[in-house]
Structure formats: C-alpha cells, structure tokens
Amino acid sequence: YRTGSTTLARSLGGTGKEHLHPYRDGEDSEAKFIGPNNQKVFKVMPDHWKYEEHWDEFKQLYLEPAEKIYITARKDFDAQVSSMVYSATTWDWHPGERDIYGRVKYFNEQEYKNWGENFAKQFIKNLEWQRKVYDEFDCELVWLEDRYDKEVKYNRKYHVTLPKQNFGVDVEAVFK
C-alpha cells in the first residue's frame, strides 16, 4: 500500500484495482479468495491472499504462471505509513481521481498515532511476505522513489496535520 502500485499497474495496462481486495464486491461483502480471470495485470497485496491461509493457492494460480512479477516498495517506510493514514482519513487515494466523498475524518493526535502503528504492523508483515515472493520467484523490485515523475506527482487535495512517527524500518535492507 502507498508504494505506487496503482500507477505501475495502470502503466502496464491494468486497471490499478486490487484484484483480491477483501471488499471488491462492496463494503459489506464477505472476503473470498478468487483465482485470476482474463485480465493481463493483477495487483495483489500479501494480506489479500491472507498470508499463510492461501499461500499455496496464490503461488499456483498467480505466481507460477506469471510472465512477470513486480514488487512495489517504498524506501521511506515512515512516509508510506503517513501516506496511508492521510489517504484513509481523506479518501484521497490516487493522483487524478475524482473526489467522490468530499470529506475528511479528523482525529486527535493519539488516534492518528494508533492508526499509524496498526498500519505499520500490517506493512511490516506485508514486507515479510513480499520478501518471501522475492526469494522464491524471479521478480523485479520497483521503488516508488525511483519512479518519481513531476508530471504525475501525487498532490494531496487536503491539508491534514499528522504526527511524525519513526518506526525504524529499513525497507531496503529487507530486500538485500
């Protein structure tokens, strides 16, 4: 999450939507594991296949037949978490997308910190599983910071003051 995966997927001819997102059929839908369809590009986060629960199925259905596997990551872990807190607060997820909600959920500093800590835990587990895929398959690692393009730079639509958090995660070391 917040690693440029949507813009990368779109640049490769995909929709940018998360294929196995738990709420792909709506907010109140039941999360279910589904196999690939006729799409050429599948954007999937490790928590979507539920880590161990669907790992064997995911490998067999997606990774083994894949022509190319990209892993998107962000060198600045703290900025990744902050971006997630901002987006979850404002519904401002991707560059060029229309603002469908037009509202911001404001929280106090401690609530923002708690949210950030929860996202950080999830992102760390996702990183561990991205590393597992990276070790087992021929993957291309794509860093958000290396894909920076001023013309498509993501500009936040709202001003939200978020507390600084330092999680001490060296994402580059994860893939060394």
mmCIF file with all atom_site columns, all heavy atoms in Angstrom, residues 149-162:
data_model
loop_
_atom_site.group_PDB
_atom_site.id
_atom_site.type_symbol
_atom_site.label_atom_id
_atom_site.label_alt_id
_atom_site.label_comp_id
_atom_site.label_asym_id
_atom_site.label_entity_id
_atom_site.label_seq_id
_atom_site.pdbx_PDB_ins_code
_atom_site.Cartn_x
_atom_site.Cartn_y
_atom_site.Cartn_z
_atom_site.occupancy
_atom_site.B_iso_or_equiv
_atom_site.pdbx_formal_charge
_atom_site.auth_seq_id
_atom_site.auth_comp_id
_atom_site.auth_asym_id
_atom_site.auth_atom_id
_atom_site.pdbx_PDB_model_num
ATOM 1   N N   . ASP A 1 149 ? 8.052   11.137 -10.959 1.00 0.00 ? 149 ASP A N   1
ATOM 2   C CA  . ASP A 1 149 ? 7.865   11.911 -12.179 1.00 0.00 ? 149 ASP A CA  1
ATOM 3   C C   . ASP A 1 149 ? 7.047   13.143 -11.801 1.00 0.00 ? 149 ASP A C   1
ATOM 4   O O   . ASP A 1 149 ? 5.902   13.017 -11.362 1.00 0.00 ? 149 ASP A O   1
ATOM 5   C CB  . ASP A 1 149 ? 7.118   11.070 -13.216 1.00 0.00 ? 149 ASP A CB  1
ATOM 6   C CG  . ASP A 1 149 ? 6.881   11.796 -14.517 1.00 0.00 ? 149 ASP A CG  1
ATOM 7   O OD1 . ASP A 1 149 ? 7.008   13.030 -14.574 1.00 0.00 ? 149 ASP A OD1 1
ATOM 8   O OD2 . ASP A 1 149 ? 6.548   11.116 -15.502 1.00 0.00 ? 149 ASP A OD2 1
ATOM 9   N N   . LYS A 1 150 ? 7.649   14.331 -11.943 1.00 0.00 ? 150 LYS A N   1
ATOM 10  C CA  . LYS A 1 150 ? 6.968   15.562 -11.539 1.00 0.00 ? 150 LYS A CA  1
ATOM 11  C C   . LYS A 1 150 ? 5.625   15.741 -12.225 1.00 0.00 ? 150 LYS A C   1
ATOM 12  O O   . LYS A 1 150 ? 4.702   16.320 -11.665 1.00 0.00 ? 150 LYS A O   1
ATOM 13  C CB  . LYS A 1 150 ? 7.851   16.778 -11.847 1.00 0.00 ? 150 LYS A CB  1
ATOM 14  C CG  . LYS A 1 150 ? 8.701   17.210 -10.709 1.00 0.00 ? 150 LYS A CG  1
ATOM 15  C CD  . LYS A 1 150 ? 9.343   18.532 -11.021 1.00 0.00 ? 150 LYS A CD  1
ATOM 16  C CE  . LYS A 1 150 ? 9.946   19.043 -9.727  1.00 0.00 ? 150 LYS A CE  1
ATOM 17  N NZ  . LYS A 1 150 ? 10.772  20.179 -9.870  1.00 0.00 ? 150 LYS A NZ  1
ATOM 18  N N   . GLU A 1 151 ? 5.498   15.257 -13.455 1.00 0.00 ? 151 GLU A N   1
ATOM 19  C CA  . GLU A 1 151 ? 4.251   15.473 -14.196 1.00 0.00 ? 151 GLU A CA  1
ATOM 20  C C   . GLU A 1 151 ? 3.087   14.660 -13.655 1.00 0.00 ? 151 GLU A C   1
ATOM 21  O O   . GLU A 1 151 ? 1.933   15.024 -13.839 1.00 0.00 ? 151 GLU A O   1
ATOM 22  C CB  . GLU A 1 151 ? 4.476   15.195 -15.680 1.00 0.00 ? 151 GLU A CB  1
ATOM 23  C CG  . GLU A 1 151 ? 5.406   16.215 -16.301 1.00 0.00 ? 151 GLU A CG  1
ATOM 24  C CD  . GLU A 1 151 ? 5.550   16.032 -17.793 1.00 0.00 ? 151 GLU A CD  1
ATOM 25  O OE1 . GLU A 1 151 ? 4.616   15.497 -18.420 1.00 0.00 ? 151 GLU A OE1 1
ATOM 26  O OE2 . GLU A 1 151 ? 6.596   16.432 -18.315 1.00 0.00 ? 151 GLU A OE2 1
ATOM 27  N N   . VAL A 1 152 ? 3.374   13.530 -13.023 1.00 0.00 ? 152 VAL A N   1
ATOM 28  C CA  . VAL A 1 152 ? 2.293   12.722 -12.453 1.00 0.00 ? 152 VAL A CA  1
ATOM 29  C C   . VAL A 1 152 ? 2.403   12.647 -10.937 1.00 0.00 ? 152 VAL A C   1
ATOM 30  O O   . VAL A 1 152 ? 1.836   11.775 -10.310 1.00 0.00 ? 152 VAL A O   1
ATOM 31  C CB  . VAL A 1 152 ? 2.264   11.289 -13.057 1.00 0.00 ? 152 VAL A CB  1
ATOM 32  C CG1 . VAL A 1 152 ? 1.906   11.337 -14.510 1.00 0.00 ? 152 VAL A CG1 1
ATOM 33  C CG2 . VAL A 1 152 ? 3.563   10.558 -12.811 1.00 0.00 ? 152 VAL A CG2 1
ATOM 34  N N   . LYS A 1 153 ? 3.143   13.583 -10.342 1.00 0.00 ? 153 LYS A N   1
ATOM 35  C CA  . LYS A 1 153 ? 3.327   13.605 -8.896  1.00 0.00 ? 153 LYS A CA  1
ATOM 36  C C   . LYS A 1 153 ? 1.968   13.672 -8.197  1.00 0.00 ? 153 LYS A C   1
ATOM 37  O O   . LYS A 1 153 ? 1.071   14.386 -8.616  1.00 0.00 ? 153 LYS A O   1
ATOM 38  C CB  . LYS A 1 153 ? 4.178   14.802 -8.487  1.00 0.00 ? 153 LYS A CB  1
ATOM 39  C CG  . LYS A 1 153 ? 4.445   14.857 -6.992  1.00 0.00 ? 153 LYS A CG  1
ATOM 40  C CD  . LYS A 1 153 ? 5.267   16.087 -6.645  1.00 0.00 ? 153 LYS A CD  1
ATOM 41  C CE  . LYS A 1 153 ? 5.590   16.137 -5.173  1.00 0.00 ? 153 LYS A CE  1
ATOM 42  N NZ  . LYS A 1 153 ? 4.447   16.186 -4.301  1.00 0.00 ? 153 LYS A NZ  1
ATOM 43  N N   . TYR A 1 154 ? 1.862   12.923 -7.162  1.00 0.00 ? 154 TYR A N   1
ATOM 44  C CA  . TYR A 1 154 ? 0.650   12.884 -6.358  1.00 0.00 ? 154 TYR A CA  1
ATOM 45  C C   . TYR A 1 154 ? 0.625   14.100 -5.449  1.00 0.00 ? 154 TYR A C   1
ATOM 46  O O   . TYR A 1 154 ? 1.482   14.269 -4.596  1.00 0.00 ? 154 TYR A O   1
ATOM 47  C CB  . TYR A 1 154 ? 0.647   11.588 -5.553  1.00 0.00 ? 154 TYR A CB  1
ATOM 48  C CG  . TYR A 1 154 ? -0.483  11.455 -4.572  1.00 0.00 ? 154 TYR A CG  1
ATOM 49  C CD1 . TYR A 1 154 ? -1.795  11.403 -5.013  1.00 0.00 ? 154 TYR A CD1 1
ATOM 50  C CD2 . TYR A 1 154 ? -0.236  11.356 -3.216  1.00 0.00 ? 154 TYR A CD2 1
ATOM 51  C CE1 . TYR A 1 154 ? -2.834  11.265 -4.117  1.00 0.00 ? 154 TYR A CE1 1
ATOM 52  C CE2 . TYR A 1 154 ? -1.261  11.213 -2.315  1.00 0.00 ? 154 TYR A CE2 1
ATOM 53  C CZ  . TYR A 1 154 ? -2.564  11.165 -2.771  1.00 0.00 ? 154 TYR A CZ  1
ATOM 54  O OH  . TYR A 1 154 ? -3.588  11.029 -1.889  1.00 0.00 ? 154 TYR A OH  1
ATOM 55  N N   . ASN A 1 155 ? -0.341  14.967 -5.647  1.00 0.00 ? 155 ASN A N   1
ATOM 56  C CA  . ASN A 1 155 ? -0.522  16.151 -4.804  1.00 0.00 ? 155 ASN A CA  1
ATOM 57  C C   . ASN A 1 155 ? -1.753  15.944 -3.937  1.00 0.00 ? 155 ASN A C   1
ATOM 58  O O   . ASN A 1 155 ? -2.843  15.681 -4.445  1.00 0.00 ? 155 ASN A O   1
ATOM 59  C CB  . ASN A 1 155 ? -0.695  17.410 -5.657  1.00 0.00 ? 155 ASN A CB  1
ATOM 60  C CG  . ASN A 1 155 ? 0.560   17.752 -6.415  1.00 0.00 ? 155 ASN A CG  1
ATOM 61  O OD1 . ASN A 1 155 ? 1.631   17.858 -5.832  1.00 0.00 ? 155 ASN A OD1 1
ATOM 62  N ND2 . ASN A 1 155 ? 0.446   17.894 -7.723  1.00 0.00 ? 155 ASN A ND2 1
ATOM 63  N N   . ARG A 1 156 ? -1.552  16.070 -2.658  1.00 0.00 ? 156 ARG A N   1
ATOM 64  C CA  . ARG A 1 156 ? -2.667  15.887 -1.728  1.00 0.00 ? 156 ARG A CA  1
ATOM 65  C C   . ARG A 1 156 ? -3.712  16.981 -1.895  1.00 0.00 ? 156 ARG A C   1
ATOM 66  O O   . ARG A 1 156 ? -3.376  18.139 -2.068  1.00 0.00 ? 156 ARG A O   1
ATOM 67  C CB  . ARG A 1 156 ? -2.151  15.857 -0.295  1.00 0.00 ? 156 ARG A CB  1
ATOM 68  C CG  . ARG A 1 156 ? -1.309  14.630 -0.010  1.00 0.00 ? 156 ARG A CG  1
ATOM 69  C CD  . ARG A 1 156 ? -0.822  14.609 1.410   1.00 0.00 ? 156 ARG A CD  1
ATOM 70  N NE  . ARG A 1 156 ? -0.162  13.333 1.679   1.00 0.00 ? 156 ARG A NE  1
ATOM 71  C CZ  . ARG A 1 156 ? 0.364   13.016 2.839   1.00 0.00 ? 156 ARG A CZ  1
ATOM 72  N NH1 . ARG A 1 156 ? 0.301   13.867 3.853   1.00 0.00 ? 156 ARG A NH1 1
ATOM 73  N NH2 . ARG A 1 156 ? 0.935   11.841 3.008   1.00 0.00 ? 156 ARG A NH2 1
ATOM 74  N N   . LYS A 1 157 ? -4.970  16.585 -1.820  1.00 0.00 ? 157 LYS A N   1
ATOM 75  C CA  . LYS A 1 157 ? -6.077  17.521 -2.005  1.00 0.00 ? 157 LYS A CA  1
ATOM 76  C C   . LYS A 1 157 ? -6.445  18.253 -0.717  1.00 0.00 ? 157 LYS A C   1
ATOM 77  O O   . LYS A 1 157 ? -7.097  19.284 -0.759  1.00 0.00 ? 157 LYS A O   1
ATOM 78  C CB  . LYS A 1 157 ? -7.307  16.768 -2.516  1.00 0.00 ? 157 LYS A CB  1
ATOM 79  C CG  . LYS A 1 157 ? -7.136  16.178 -3.890  1.00 0.00 ? 157 LYS A CG  1
ATOM 80  C CD  . LYS A 1 157 ? -8.366  15.380 -4.301  1.00 0.00 ? 157 LYS A CD  1
ATOM 81  C CE  . LYS A 1 157 ? -8.124  14.721 -5.640  1.00 0.00 ? 157 LYS A CE  1
ATOM 82  N NZ  . LYS A 1 157 ? -8.723  13.421 -5.743  1.00 0.00 ? 157 LYS A NZ  1
ATOM 83  N N   . TYR A 1 158 ? -6.077  17.696 0.422   1.00 0.00 ? 158 TYR A N   1
ATOM 84  C CA  . TYR A 1 158 ? -6.474  18.252 1.712   1.00 0.00 ? 158 TYR A CA  1
ATOM 85  C C   . TYR A 1 158 ? -5.247  18.476 2.587   1.00 0.00 ? 158 TYR A C   1
ATOM 86  O O   . TYR A 1 158 ? -4.255  17.766 2.481   1.00 0.00 ? 158 TYR A O   1
ATOM 87  C CB  . TYR A 1 158 ? -7.426  17.299 2.452   1.00 0.00 ? 158 TYR A CB  1
ATOM 88  C CG  . TYR A 1 158 ? -8.677  16.991 1.682   1.00 0.00 ? 158 TYR A CG  1
ATOM 89  C CD1 . TYR A 1 158 ? -8.804  15.798 0.979   1.00 0.00 ? 158 TYR A CD1 1
ATOM 90  C CD2 . TYR A 1 158 ? -9.739  17.892 1.662   1.00 0.00 ? 158 TYR A CD2 1
ATOM 91  C CE1 . TYR A 1 158 ? -9.957  15.516 0.267   1.00 0.00 ? 158 TYR A CE1 1
ATOM 92  C CE2 . TYR A 1 158 ? -10.892 17.611 0.949   1.00 0.00 ? 158 TYR A CE2 1
ATOM 93  C CZ  . TYR A 1 158 ? -10.994 16.421 0.253   1.00 0.00 ? 158 TYR A CZ  1
ATOM 94  O OH  . TYR A 1 158 ? -12.134 16.142 -0.446  1.00 0.00 ? 158 TYR A OH  1
ATOM 95  N N   . HIS A 1 159 ? -5.369  19.440 3.481   1.00 0.00 ? 159 HIS A N   1
ATOM 96  C CA  . HIS A 1 159 ? -4.310  19.649 4.465   1.00 0.00 ? 159 HIS A CA  1
ATOM 97  C C   . HIS A 1 159 ? -4.743  18.977 5.761   1.00 0.00 ? 159 HIS A C   1
ATOM 98  O O   . HIS A 1 159 ? -5.749  19.362 6.365   1.00 0.00 ? 159 HIS A O   1
ATOM 99  C CB  . HIS A 1 159 ? -4.037  21.135 4.713   1.00 0.00 ? 159 HIS A CB  1
ATOM 100 C CG  . HIS A 1 159 ? -3.024  21.338 5.787   1.00 0.00 ? 159 HIS A CG  1
ATOM 101 N ND1 . HIS A 1 159 ? -1.688  21.111 5.595   1.00 0.00 ? 159 HIS A ND1 1
ATOM 102 C CD2 . HIS A 1 159 ? -3.167  21.699 7.081   1.00 0.00 ? 159 HIS A CD2 1
ATOM 103 C CE1 . HIS A 1 159 ? -1.040  21.334 6.713   1.00 0.00 ? 159 HIS A CE1 1
ATOM 104 N NE2 . HIS A 1 159 ? -1.923  21.690 7.639   1.00 0.00 ? 159 HIS A NE2 1
ATOM 105 N N   . VAL A 1 160 ? -3.997  17.976 6.154   1.00 0.00 ? 160 VAL A N   1
ATOM 106 C CA  . VAL A 1 160 ? -4.243  17.275 7.407   1.00 0.00 ? 160 VAL A CA  1
ATOM 107 C C   . VAL A 1 160 ? -2.903  17.213 8.134   1.00 0.00 ? 160 VAL A C   1
ATOM 108 O O   . VAL A 1 160 ? -1.915  16.749 7.572   1.00 0.00 ? 160 VAL A O   1
ATOM 109 C CB  . VAL A 1 160 ? -4.772  15.838 7.159   1.00 0.00 ? 160 VAL A CB  1
ATOM 110 C CG1 . VAL A 1 160 ? -4.959  15.100 8.466   1.00 0.00 ? 160 VAL A CG1 1
ATOM 111 C CG2 . VAL A 1 160 ? -6.069  15.865 6.365   1.00 0.00 ? 160 VAL A CG2 1
ATOM 112 N N   . THR A 1 161 ? -2.866  17.697 9.358   1.00 0.00 ? 161 THR A N   1
ATOM 113 C CA  . THR A 1 161 ? -1.627  17.673 10.131  1.00 0.00 ? 161 THR A CA  1
ATOM 114 C C   . THR A 1 161 ? -1.526  16.338 10.858  1.00 0.00 ? 161 THR A C   1
ATOM 115 O O   . THR A 1 161 ? -2.308  16.046 11.768  1.00 0.00 ? 161 THR A O   1
ATOM 116 C CB  . THR A 1 161 ? -1.596  18.834 11.147  1.00 0.00 ? 161 THR A CB  1
ATOM 117 O OG1 . THR A 1 161 ? -1.753  20.052 10.426  1.00 0.00 ? 161 THR A OG1 1
ATOM 118 C CG2 . THR A 1 161 ? -0.281  18.845 11.904  1.00 0.00 ? 161 THR A CG2 1
ATOM 119 N N   . LEU A 1 162 ? -0.567  15.525 10.407  1.00 0.00 ? 162 LEU A N   1
ATOM 120 C CA  . LEU A 1 162 ? -0.361  14.211 11.012  1.00 0.00 ? 162 LEU A CA  1
ATOM 121 C C   . LEU A 1 162 ? 0.887   14.240 11.883  1.00 0.00 ? 162 LEU A C   1
ATOM 122 O O   . LEU A 1 162 ? 1.873   14.895 11.536  1.00 0.00 ? 162 LEU A O   1
ATOM 123 C CB  . LEU A 1 162 ? -0.191  13.156 9.916   1.00 0.00 ? 162 LEU A CB  1
ATOM 124 C CG  . LEU A 1 162 ? -1.360  12.998 8.945   1.00 0.00 ? 162 LEU A CG  1
ATOM 125 C CD1 . LEU A 1 162 ? -1.002  12.045 7.824   1.00 0.00 ? 162 LEU A CD1 1
ATOM 126 C CD2 . LEU A 1 162 ? -2.594  12.509 9.694   1.00 0.00 ? 162 LEU A CD2 1
#
